[in-house]
Amino acid sequence: QGLLMESGGGSVQAGGSLRLSCAVRGGLWRDNCIGWFRQAPGKEREGVVFKYTSSLLPYYGAVEEGRFTVTQDNANYSMHLQMEALKPEDTAIYYCAARQHGTCFRRDESDFSTWGEGIQVTVSS
C-alpha cells in the first residue's frame, strides 16, 4: 500500500517562495510518475507539474516552467516543488499524487491512484 505525505506549505506574500515536499512510500517511487496537483477555492483540481522518476525532464501543466521547479531526491524517495514569484492566484491546496506505475504520458488526475492529503498554500497580495 503506497503512501504520500506532503510538507512545506504555508502562507507567504506575493513574490515570495515556498518549497513543497512529497515523501513517497510503499514502493511507488521506482519507474513511476509523480504529479503535483492543486485545487483553488471554487475551482477544479488541475495538474501543476509531473515527473517520471526515471527521466530527467518534467512535464509542466497549469503553471509556467520558470516559476515552478520540480526536483527529486532518489536517496530519500522524495519529490520537491520549488515555487518562486508566487502570486495570489497560486493559492490552493496542493496535492502530491502517484500512478500505480508508469510514465507521465497520461497526466489526468484519474490516472493517479494514490494521493496525499493535500497541503495549503496561501499567497497574500
Side-chain angles (χ1 to χ4, degrees):
Q1 186 80 17
L3 178 66
L4 304 177
M5 296 176 290
E6 302 99 342
S7 61
S11 298
V12 295
Q13 291 191 327
S17 303
L18 278 175
R19 184 178 188 245
L20 304 183
S21 296
C22 175
V24 182
R25 301 290 181 263
L28 292 176
W29 181 259
R30 185 177 178 182
D31 299 331
N32 201 13
C33 182
I34 308 298
W36 285 98
F37 291 81
R38 69 184 182 184
Q39 187 166 21
K43 295 187 177 181
E44 293 187 352
R45 190 154 53 185
E46 61 184 3
V48 175
V49 62
F50 306 86
K51 179 74 170 60
Y52 181 53
T53 56
S54 298
S55 173
L56 293 176
L57 298 178
Y59 297 86
Y60 287 88
V63 296
E64 56 269 34
E65 184 174 341
R67 291 199 303 123
F68 286 29
T69 304
V70 65
T71 58
Q72 65 186 67
D73 179 350
N74 291 328
N76 294 297
Y77 308 114
S78 295
M79 194 73 72
H80 306 293
L81 180 64
Q82 180 69 37
M83 306 184 292
E84 306 284 349
L86 284 162
K87 305 174 182 179
E89 50 263 44
D90 294 317
T91 295
I93 298 174
Y94 284 71
Y95 297 88
C96 178
R99 298 192 65 182
Q100 189 60 37
H101 279 289
T103 69
C104 295
F105 179 75
R106 296 177 63 87
R107 301 187 289 275
D108 187 80
E109 63 175 280
S110 63
D111 298 309
F112 292 79
S113 56
T114 304
W115 292 77
E117 293 186 351
I119 194 162
Q120 179 70 47
V121 170
T122 302
V123 185
S124 58
S125 58

